Structures are given as structure tokens and as C-alpha cells.
Amino acid sequence: MDVNNELDNMVSSYYNSATADFEFDSSSDDDEAFVHHDEDDDSFTFDQSKPKTDTSAVEARNGKDVQGIPWERLNFSRDNYRETRLSQYRNYESLSLPRGELEKDFNKVEKGHRFYDFQFNTRLVKSTIVHFQLRNLLWATSKHDVYLMQNYSVMHWSSLLQRGKEVLNVAKPIVPTLTYPGSLGQSLSRVQISTMAVKDNLLVAGGFKGELLCKSLDQSGVAFCTKLAVDETAITNNVDIYHNTDGSLRLMTANNDSQVRVFDTVNFACINRFTFPWSVNNTSVSPDGKLFSVLGDSAECLVADAQSGKAVGTLKGHLDYSFTSAWHPDGNILATGNQDTTCRLWDIRNLSESLSVLKGRMGAIRAISFSSDGQFMATAEAADFVHIYDTKSGYSTEQEIDLFGEIAGISFSPDTEALFIGIADRTYGSLLEYNRRRYQYYLDSFI
């Protein structure tokens, strides 16, 4: 991953100029999320006295924009703005390889399907992004519980109570509560969280300067935190919580220093370390705990043995750097997302070529998630588009969710009933909830 400050500033400046005409008058009550930042203690509070800025399914069916964007007050329509975005958006590339031959590999996909229906959008909580290439910043642990990054806070959103709460503040000094002789734990302060994961009551976050934080959701404080590398550019690009082959819970980290580290989740001791030829942007462990994907600053991706770290297969086909991957629950299919605007599917039993190539609309595929029953796969572009594919159709039928704003993360609830999308935007940043379509329309009368 290129962490050159000049490059980051250039990308940021481009995004600001490209969306200059998308700045809205936020002086009215309905354009302000009522989250307030206290400059003295870096914490967030909620002012429930202000009018709600949320959008419900009923309001959306009655014509309200799901993100609350007041198109009727603008001098251009939503369709006109979408057309402009599609024509002017410039996808970020690390490798300028010729892409003329890519189109012949694309899957034929039938769009227009509806697998998940819009349910709710709130601006009470809104995602923020530290690094424009890293988007695993939102996790659902149930259809009512979502965790996301908002500035220096990990926030919890209850869709049942429609209430947000700060779970972890990383602006203040953080002292690990778990101490024992030989522990690698050390105090941290003002961590810029670049990636996170939540599973089995464990919240893990990685930082922009190589930090790692681990917190039990049912306990106060942070159990373990440390800096994984001395190098200031060794960003923690990805964290993955998984079950080892013996059933124990493990943690895997991917860093810019080309290292993949494995920790136990009892004492958080580093029990394995693997080195690769390039900066590692993403890893994900297979459902059986035997293999893991390795994606980084290379057009090629690897599949490696989870015990030894030895590569057992090379994935060739992408034309740029990859930043996200996910395994189908059956363990046979691996999906990889790339800056060449594609998601490739690989059959782990035959890695000689990709099984399918799915094309994004505008930009890089920066987040991928499978539903726990394996029926759906969702991919998120850097901005504006989330794609949901029916895996049972061979990924040939798709629902396209069309939004505006940078996408900080996507997550299916474990019961598959909800899909959450985090939008990072100065004015219209929000959390969107879509519910699985069950074709039981009569229930709408009770909502």
C-alpha cells in the first residue's frame, strides 16, 4: 500500500473537488445529524431534542430519499447527478496495466433483482475512514447490533432501540488491563483506527501506525493493545478473527511491513509470524481454519497454509492491488476484490484460473461479505454502489444498491436477515439497514 502523504492529499483533494457540487445547505434541522463532539474529552454525546434525521421504510415508499438528500431543493435531479458521477468519477489505480482485454472475462449478470429491501437509515451514527483504501470498518453481530468507526470512537448502534453508544474511545491514553510476565502489551494513545473486526464477543481494531487493540465487549477497558511494528508506515491493514482447526479462537493481522501475525485470544501471545514479498493488505482464513488468503501490493494473490504460512496456490488474473477477500461458508469459494474494479471468484479445488469475474460500476471493490447461509454475496465499491449476488444462480442475478458517498463497510447480520452499509460523508454520512425480502407483504401493516 502506498502511504505517501502527497499521494493521499492528491486523492483527498480530487474527491473534494469532484463532489463540490454535492455540498448541501446544512443549516436546516433536517440536514444535521445530532451527534456532538466534545473538544475537551474527545467523546460523543447525543442530543435527542433535535428533530430526527432518520428515514424509515414507510417514508422511502412515500418518496423520501433513503439518505435524506433533499433533491427537490437542488437545481439538478438525482438522475442527473448520478450521470455526472458515472462520467467524472476516477477510480484510483496503483498499477496502470492495460485493461482492454478485461471485458471479455466479465460474467453476464442479470440486474434488477431485489433480495434485500430498504428498512432504515440513521445519521445518528456515521462512519469515518482513515485510509481511502481500507474499508472494513463496520460489523454486525446481530440484526439489532452494529459496530462502526466514528472518528476516534468505536460506536454501537442498536437498530431495535434506534440508539447509538460509544463502546471505545481511542483518543485518550489506553492502558491494557491484561498483564502478565513477558506480555507484549503496551499503552497507546490517540489511535487512528484503520480496520476492525467483531466476532464471538471480541472486538479487534488495527491502527494507522501499526497498532493492535483487543477488547471483550462484556468487559470494561481494553484487554490488550500494542504496536506491532516500529516502522511508522507499517499500517495494520486488516484483522481477522477466526477459529483454528482445534476450535480455539485466533486473531490474524496483516500489515504494511509484509508481515502476517497470528495471536491467541486468551493471553494475546503472538504464536506465529509469516513474511511475504510485498505489503499485505488483507488476509482471511477459510471456514475450516486450514487456509488463508493473502492479498497485497501485487497483482497476484496467494492462498497459504494457516499453520505454516507456506503458499499453496497463486491466484492470477487481477490487474492491480487487492484489498479485500471473503470465503463462502462452504469453504470451496474464495472471493477477492481489486482496484481493477472487479471481484474474482476462485474455486479452491482448482486455482489455475478464476471461476467468475464480477464487474463494479465505478470503482475498486473494497469490501466483500457472504451471508452465513451462503446464499448471497455482497460487494462494495469505494463509493456509491453495493452489489448483492445470488450465489445459487451462479452469481448471475444481482441487486444493485445505488447510493451517494464513500462506503466504509458492509456486513450481513449472522442470521442473514439484515445487511448494513456504512456511508462516510461530511453531511450525509449514515448507517443504512436493508432487510431480507421474504415476500410477506401483509406484515407491512404491522410496521
Side-chain angles (χ1 to χ4, degrees):
M1 178 188 298
D2 195 338
V3 292
N4 181 283
N5 287 334
E6 211 170 295
L7 176 59
D8 286 347
N9 290 336
M10 180 187 73
V11 172
S12 178
S13 296
Y14 162 71
Y15 179 71
N16 289 336
S17 63
T19 59
D21 59 347
F22 197 54
E23 295 298 327
F24 297 103
D25 174 13
S26 59
S27 59
S28 62
D29 288 337
D30 64 337
D31 285 343
E32 286 292 337
F34 36 105
V35 179
H36 297 284
H37 182 249
D38 188 327
E39 296 295 343
D40 295 327
D41 65 2
D42 289 302
S43 64
F44 288 92
T45 57
F46 298 96
D47 181 359
Q48 298 289 354
S49 65
K50 283 197 173 183
K52 284 191 174 184
T53 58
D54 301 338
T55 303
S56 68
V58 172
E59 289 173 315
R61 285 197 293 268
N62 289 333
K64 183 179 179 181
D65 181 80
V66 295
Q67 294 179 269
I69 301 172
W71 297 104
E72 68 280 359
R73 286 162 39 190
L74 306 176
N75 57 6
F76 49 85
S77 68
R78 189 187 197 282
D79 289 343
N80 288 340
Y81 188 71
R82 168 53 65 215
E83 187 177 340
T84 300
R85 285 276 281 179
L86 287 171
S87 64
Q88 295 184 0
Y89 186 88
R90 290 180 294 171
N91 178 53
Y92 180 77
E93 297 178 359
S94 297
L95 300 177
S96 298
L97 297 176
R99 310 200 174 179
E101 295 295 307
L102 195 58
E103 288 192 18
K104 65 180 178 61
D105 296 329
F106 295 157
N107 272 42
K108 290 184 178 179
V109 177
E110 183 182 279
K111 296 187 179 184
H113 292 261
R114 287 176 62 188
F115 309 126
Y116 282 76
D117 288 326
F118 171 77
Q119 178 66 20
F120 200 75
N121 180 56
T122 182
R123 298 214 301 270
L124 278 176
V125 290
K126 56 176 68 179
S127 296
T128 51
I129 298 168
V130 171
H131 195 286
F132 74 99
Q133 291 169 308
L134 305 176
R135 304 302 178 90
N136 288 325
L137 295 167
L138 184 145
W139 291 82
T141 56
S142 82
K143 63 181 178 181
H144 300 308
D145 300 281
V146 187
Y147 295 84
L148 67 154
M149 275 310 306
Q150 181 169 324
N151 298 317
Y152 284 96
S153 295
V154 178
M155 304 297 296
H156 168 259
W157 171 256
S158 169
S159 63
L160 186 64
L161 301 175
Q162 295 182 7
R163 184 181 302 163
K165 179 182 178 182
E166 183 181 74
V167 173
L168 175 64
N169 186 306
V170 292
K172 300 177 181 180
I174 306 162
V175 180
T177 60
L178 178 64
T179 57
Y180 60 92
S183 171
L184 297 175
Q186 62 184 102
S187 298
L188 300 174
S189 182
R190 209 160 184 82
V191 179
Q192 292 178 284
I193 292 181
S194 50
T195 186
M196 63 181 286
V198 186
K199 185 176 183 178
D200 288 7
N201 207 43
L202 178 65
L203 185 154
V204 178
F208 198 70
K209 294 184 178 180
E211 299 97 335
L212 176 67
L213 301 92
C214 305
K215 173 183 174 59
S216 295
L217 292 175
D218 59 355
Q219 297 177 15
S220 61
V222 172
F224 177 78
C225 57
T226 192
K227 283 197 72 172
L228 297 175
V230 178
D231 186 351
E232 288 293 305
T233 63
I235 303 172
T236 304
N237 294 323
N238 190 75
V239 290
D240 187 26
I241 304 168
Y242 67 99
H243 286 98
N244 191 33
T245 51
D246 63 4
S248 61
L249 197 66
R250 296 278 175 87
L251 165 64
M252 182 177 285
T253 67
N255 283 73
N256 246 31
D257 64 356
S258 305
Q259 301 278 314
V260 169
R261 298 168 175 85
V262 179
F263 295 81
D264 73 51
T265 58
V266 177
N267 294 321
F268 296 100
C270 184
I271 56 179
N272 243 330
R273 183 180 303 199
F274 312 126
T275 303
F276 293 91
W278 19 256
S279 296
V280 184
N281 299 330
N282 177 270
T283 60
S284 58
V285 180
S286 61
D288 61 8
K290 294 181 179 179
L291 301 171
F292 69 102
S293 60
V294 189
L295 291 66
D297 286 3
S298 169
E300 295 182 355
C301 306
L302 303 174
V303 174
D305 181 272
Q307 302 303 317
S308 67
K310 182 180 179 180
V312 297
T314 302
L315 311 180
K316 298 181 179 181
H318 281 304
L319 300 177
D320 209 317
Y321 297 168
S322 297
F323 285 86
T324 185
S325 63
W327 293 81
H328 188 281
D330 69 9
N332 292 325
I333 301 297
L334 171 67
T336 55
N338 192 275
Q339 290 186 156
D340 64 11
T341 74
T342 69
C343 168
R344 284 182 181 260
L345 301 169
W346 312 84
D347 189 325
I348 205 66
R349 296 158 295 190
N350 179 13
L351 296 174
S352 60
E353 62 179 354
S354 55
L355 190 67
S356 300
V357 183
L358 304 170
K359 177 73 168 63
R361 282 286 298 279
M362 270 192 347
I365 304 300
R366 298 211 178 275
I368 303 174
S369 180
F370 279 97
S371 60
S372 61
D373 62 0
Q375 184 168 344
F376 300 108
M377 179 186 76
T379 67
E381 300 184 35
D384 292 18
F385 291 102
V386 172
H387 309 271
I388 307 173
Y389 300 93
D390 183 351
T391 65
K392 293 184 177 179
S393 72
Y395 304 85
S396 64
T397 56
E398 175 197 350
Q399 174 182 358
E400 183 178 86
I401 299 177
D402 181 332
L403 304 165
F404 288 105
E406 297 287 300
I407 299 172
I410 54 174
S411 181
F412 287 103
S413 61
D415 63 2
T416 79
E417 290 302 312
L419 171 66
F420 294 93
I421 303 170
I423 299 292
D425 182 79
R426 183 169 59 186
T427 304
Y428 292 99
S430 66
L431 175 66
L432 294 109
E433 176 186 351
Y434 287 76
N435 283 0
R436 189 162 178 173
R437 192 174 178 83
R438 294 295 188 182
Y439 302 100
Q440 295 169 331
Y441 300 111
Y442 66 89
L443 292 178
D444 287 350
S445 61
F446 296 98
I447 298 176

